[in-house]
Amino acid sequence: MKLAIGIVVVVVVLLVWYVSTFNSIKRADLKVSEALSGIDVALTKRYDVLTKMLDVTKAYKIHEKEVLTELVSLRAGMSMNDRNAANSKMDALSSQFRFLAENYPELRSSENFVQLQRVIADVEEHLQASRRLYNANVTAYNGLIVTFPSNIVAGMMGATSKAFFEADEVKRQDVKMNF
């Protein structure tokens, strides 16, 4: 009788251990998948935010260049009479430029470049954090499936090691900043 109870206790302990280990491996696998999704989110954010900020910054740069070029061209090669006649036109353009700069401060490209730099730093930091989280979860998962005795359950489950992060070739490349 004691032998039968002993066998039942051992079987129950082994069953509880198996289920617990099985669930631990499944949870670790789920964390790896979640972290991988986080990397995809960070890569998408980097691509979307940086390309949009770059487009906005380029547009503001072009706008300011056009206004300043027109101001300079009005001054070039003018006689005094021409200068006096153009003075009112330049004043109007200057007023328009000041009005735009005061009412739409985001049109000042230097501020846009500073903002672009901040966004780049934020996006890259988010991406690095996502990669670190993924790598930490892969390490924990791989540790579970290769260490004894959980490797026995992992083998029965068909669990295989996960690779550390490797991005698609297109998303691996940084966004080109051509001004």
Side-chain angles (χ1 to χ4, degrees), residues 38-39 41-51 53 115-131 174-175 177:
I39 290 173
V41 167
L43 287 170
T44 301
K45 176 183 176 183
R46 176 175 75 170
Y47 184 82
D48 292 346
V49 168
L50 294 182
T51 54
M53 283 295 297
Q115 179 65 22
L116 179 61
Q117 290 170 339
R118 286 185 193 127
V119 168
I120 290 169
D122 178 60
V123 167
E124 292 300 324
E125 185 178 316
H126 184 217
L127 181 58
Q128 289 173 7
S130 296
R131 287 177 177 161
D174 205 359
V175 176
M177 299 289 178

